[in-house]
Structures are given as C-alpha cells and as structure tokens.
Amino acid sequence: MPSFATDVPALLLRLDPNPYHHGTLGAARSLGRAGVEVHALVGSRIGAVGRTRFLHRVHTAAPAAGPGGAPTDTELEGALLTASEAIGRPAVLVPLDDRGAIGAARLAPRLAGRYLLPPVAPLLPARLADKAELSAVCARAEVAHPATVLPGSAREAAHAATELGLPAVAKWSRPWLLPPGLRSTALVRSPQEAARLYERTAEAGSALLLQRRLPDAPGADWFFHGYAAEGGRFLVGGAGRKERSWPPRTGLTAVGTWLPCPAVQEAAARLAAALDYRGILDLDFRLDPVTGVHHLVDFNPRPGAQFRLFTDRSGLDVVRAQHLHLTGRAVPEPRGGPGRVFVVENYALLSALLGPRAGGHTPAAASRGPVERAWFAADDPLPFAAMAAGWLGRCLARGARPAALRERLRTGSAGTTRGPAASAALPATAGPAHPAPGPQGSQHTEPTPHTERRNPCTTS
C-alpha cells in the first residue's frame, strides 16, 4: 500500500438525500482502511452508510433553501466551515454527487486553507454536469455524442422526438434540481409523450433535451473512472463494462467488470486533456453497434458509485489517488486490476429477478478476477445489515412485489439514471421544484466528430 499522509483527514461531501449511496460507503472504507480519519458532511440523514466503522464523524448541513433542495453557496460555505472547525485541521474534500462537486468548485477560493481540492476551473464542473452543455463539450474534444435537440416548445419537442426516431431518450439537463416524481432520464415513445414532458419544464427546474437512442446490444454500456492531474493527465484510470443495471438498460450499475477498452480510454484522455480537467471523473459511454463507435452520454465531475471496481493490487483507487496527490505524496503506477468485478447486492438482486442482463452476458462468464461487493465486507459488516433491513422494510411498506415492479418496467416509469429513485425500494429525490426558463428556440446538434476505431473493444 502507498504511504498516506494520515495526519490529513478527509471530508466526504454528499448533498443527495439517497440514504443508500454505496459510493459514499466505498470512499469511507477506502480511506479509512488506509489510516485516514474520515468525516462526512451530508445534506440529510446518512442512512445505512453511517454504520461503517471507518467513519469518524458525521456532520449534517442545515436544511437548504436553494433550488431543488440544494444549498445556496452561502449555506454550503457555512456548513463546510462549521465542519472544518469541528475537524480542527485542513482536510481533503471529496464531493460524491454533482451538487457537491459544483458547489465545492465554485467555493474553492474561499475554502483555501481549510480544504484541499484539485485546482479545477470554478465553473467547469457545472458545465460538465449540465447535460445540455455536453454536446458542445464533446464537439470541441472530438468525442462522439448522440444527436441531441433542445426544444423551445412542446410542439418542437414532439417534432424532435419524431425526427430523432422513436423511442427517443429524454433527459433533464440539471437532474440535481429535480423534485419528487420526475425521473432524470426516460424513454418517450410518442410525440405526445415528448410534448407532455416538455410542459413540466418549470417544475423540473432545468431544460429538457431529447437524444437519439442508441440501440441496445450485447456489451453496449461502458464507463471510465479516473483521477487527472495538470493538463488532464490521468494518474489512475480504467474502463469498465456494465453487465447488469437497475433499472434495466438506463439505470445504475448492478454488476460491472473492469475491462480494457482502447476506444473508451482514448476518448476519456482526449476529453480530459481538452478541458485541462483536474480531479476525479466518471464517464458513461454507449456503443453504437451499427458504427462500432462509443458515444459519451454522461459526464460526472466526481467519483462514480462503483469507483471501487477500479482498485489495483496495492489498493489504489481514484479516491486514494486524490488524497495522495493533494497531500504531496507520490501516486504509484497502478499494478494490475483488469478482470475485477463489482457487485451492488441490492441492485443486482432486482436486476437478476426482474430484468434482462444489461449487456447480454452472464456475470460468471465475466468474472476473471476478484469480486468486490458494494455493501458486504467481512471487516465492516454492519452497513450491509442496515441496508438489507432498510430495503426489506421499504419493499414491504410499499408493496413492491415482482408483479408491480414488472408493470413499472413495462410502462417505462422506472427508467432513470443515477438518481436515488433508481428502484421502487429507494426514496425519490427530495426538494421543491424550481422554475427555470428553457432555451429560446430549438437547438439541434448532430453526432459529434470522432476518431475512435470501429469495434475496438472485446464484447464476448
């Protein structure tokens, strides 16, 4: 294991109200096992993650008055400074959701001396997390992106859905502002559905965009996690394939495998270099089976929930790399790792019982290396027990029986990505609606230029 500055604590920042966020648990375990004192600042209750023995203290932010339940910059700064006073010395700050990453970057100059953060441009995370901005970002970096339309009216939304091809993908550009009842991503199967969704723009708090849906295919869904230093140079990183997801095809990774993929790795490196990105990122790609090109569909300027998939033989991952780098320690070259499998027990169970495999693979066939579970750990069993009890209680309370869940899947109401409402057993994202005007007039972008090779990754 690398030598860590164990006198420098870490603060995990999570404003998303999901009490079952396994990425937060992974970060606490990763740094705690390295001897780092780990604190967490959460916007609501910590949930099952709070049972881990690797969490030194939980700090809770005051109720937020910002849009969508997010804290204003003033509120977030106050909460971070209060936590800093309690910690008593400078700490590495690790945001674990988009809200936190965006706020921390904007506040970085005012947090100097209290927190260690990558020197990313203050407004860059907000641009990258905004799905309406991603087409232009990809075009400048010559990274493929699905054809996207930002309609300016319900009529334009209906027309765009038809032109893109039905079913089309509908996304809210700033999903962290969504109120309960709205999904971050959904399929629209008719022009009328697209028009009705557009009419909820003010309620959603951000613009609606429509995208051409890339076809489902075995091995189509990929992701890349990395930690970048100056010039967007990756110190650690890897590509992975989504074997199962929940909800199927559009949801969170339930089972993933670390597999080399030159096209995904090259696209990630090109994008990070073009942006001079600093810090941790999580990219989602989908392979177009017709062209053999991987398209970037999502950019998350923070660790993905399954970041522990990319852990080398010495225990190095993106969160540990950030702590090492920001405390002036050397980040060693990664040693081994491809073939590892990551399993999120609750999502994997739902996916196995109620949904098709995300990539048409059996996890057993992909398991060429060690398996890491999101919740269960022999040296830290209480979070798994708390998660299992909580999920069982929610399922019983909501009557989430297989027939009801199958109906949700059939109607598409479970189609979402990266939201806390990813299954019937999880709560919807809390927070009030926040009106925001949509773009003036319809904007259309064709697939962006690319230089990836056709069929560059093994999908068998």
Side-chain angles (χ1 to χ4, degrees), residues 244-248 251-254 347 350-351 354-355 405 409 414 416 422-424:
R244 287 187 180 273
S245 62
W246 183 259
L252 295 160
T253 299
Y347 294 134
L350 289 171
S351 176
L354 303 170
L405 288 173
L409 294 174
T416 181
S423 81

Side-chain angles (χ1 to χ4, degrees), residues 41 52 87 120 169-170 201 238 245 247 278-280 283 291 302 304 330 355 367 377 412 418 421 434 439:
L41 174 61
T52 176
I87 294 170
V120 67
V169 178
T201 297
S245 62
R278 319 286 181 92
I280 300 172
L283 310 176
T291 64
R302 38 79 181 172
S367 299
R418 298 188 178 277
H434 174 61

Side-chain angles (χ1 to χ4, degrees), residues 227-230 233-237 316 321 325 331-334:
Y227 176 80
E230 64 283 346
R233 175 178 56 92
F234 286 116
L235 301 184
V236 297
L316 183 66
H325 189 236
V331 179
E333 287 285 336

Side-chain angles (χ1 to χ4, degrees), residues 17-279:
N18 179 7
Y20 298 102
H21 188 258
H22 53 274
T24 305
L25 176 60
R29 284 172 170 169
S30 177
L31 293 171
R33 287 169 178 153
V36 175
E37 182 180 291
V38 183
H39 295 250
L41 174 61
V42 297
S44 61
R45 60 193 180 92
I46 188 69
V49 176
R51 303 301 298 276
T52 176
R53 70 184 186 88
F54 294 107
L55 202 53
H56 180 77
R57 181 174 173 182
V58 177
H59 309 260
T60 305
T72 64
D73 281 357
T74 300
E75 289 171 330
L76 180 57
E77 181 182 9
L80 287 169
L81 293 180
T82 299
S84 176
E85 291 291 340
I87 294 170
R89 57 198 190 279
V92 172
L93 182 59
V94 185
L96 288 160
D97 56 26
D98 290 341
R99 289 179 181 180
I102 291 166
R106 283 199 300 249
L107 292 170
R110 288 144 63 179
L111 299 175
R114 301 291 193 112
Y115 292 102
L116 304 178
L117 281 161
V120 67
L123 299 181
L124 183 59
R127 284 181 52 220
L128 298 174
D130 189 327
K131 301 178 190 305
E133 299 260 3
L134 199 52
S135 290
V137 170
C138 288
R140 286 192 291 271
E142 298 187 337
V143 171
H145 183 70
T148 302
V149 178
L150 274 75
S153 67
R155 183 177 179 179
E156 288 179 7
H159 178 72
T162 302
E163 290 293 304
L164 289 167
L166 294 169
V169 178
K171 297 180 178 180
W172 297 107
S173 64
R174 299 176 182 178
W176 59 92
L177 300 180
L178 290 175
L182 275 179
R183 306 283 177 169
S184 61
T185 301
L187 290 179
V188 292
R189 295 176 170 82
S190 70
Q192 294 76 20
E193 277 189 49
R196 286 195 298 270
L197 199 57
Y198 179 87
E199 289 168 352
R200 303 185 72 177
T201 297
E203 178 187 356
S206 65
L208 178 73
L209 58 95
L210 298 169
Q211 282 184 349
R212 181 175 74 88
R213 180 175 180 262
L214 298 173
D216 293 325
D221 293 312
W222 292 77
F223 45 85
F224 180 92
H225 292 206
Y227 176 80
E230 64 283 346
R233 175 178 56 92
F234 286 116
L235 301 184
V236 297
R241 185 177 66 197
K242 190 180 293 188
E243 312 293 355
R244 287 187 180 273
S245 62
W246 183 259
R249 301 186 180 91
T250 61
L252 295 160
T253 299
V255 180
T257 308
W258 183 353
L259 293 173
C261 183
V264 167
Q265 293 160 202
E266 290 163 10
R270 193 161 57 249
L271 188 61
L275 295 167
D276 188 19
Y277 186 83
R278 319 286 181 92

Side-chain angles (χ1 to χ4, degrees), residues 284-340:
D284 285 337
F285 292 84
R286 171 162 270 212
L287 173 68
D288 185 339
V290 177
T291 64
V293 173
H294 291 79
H295 291 65
L296 182 69
V297 295
D298 207 7
F299 191 123
N300 302 291
R302 38 79 181 172
Q306 73 272 31
F307 79 91
R308 283 289 296 169
L309 170 63
F310 302 101
T311 305
D312 78 350
R313 286 196 297 266
S314 70
L316 183 66
D317 58 36
V318 293
V319 169
R320 287 186 174 187
Q322 174 165 310
H323 194 280
L324 287 167
H325 189 236
L326 295 182
T327 56
R329 302 298 177 101
V331 179
E333 287 285 336
R335 296 184 297 130
R340 279 174 55 85

Side-chain angles (χ1 to χ4, degrees), residues 29 33 54 345 373-384:
R29 284 172 170 169
R33 287 169 178 153
F54 294 107
E345 298 92 328
R373 292 168 177 80
W375 288 97
F376 181 77
D379 65 341
D380 189 33
L382 291 182
F384 174 81

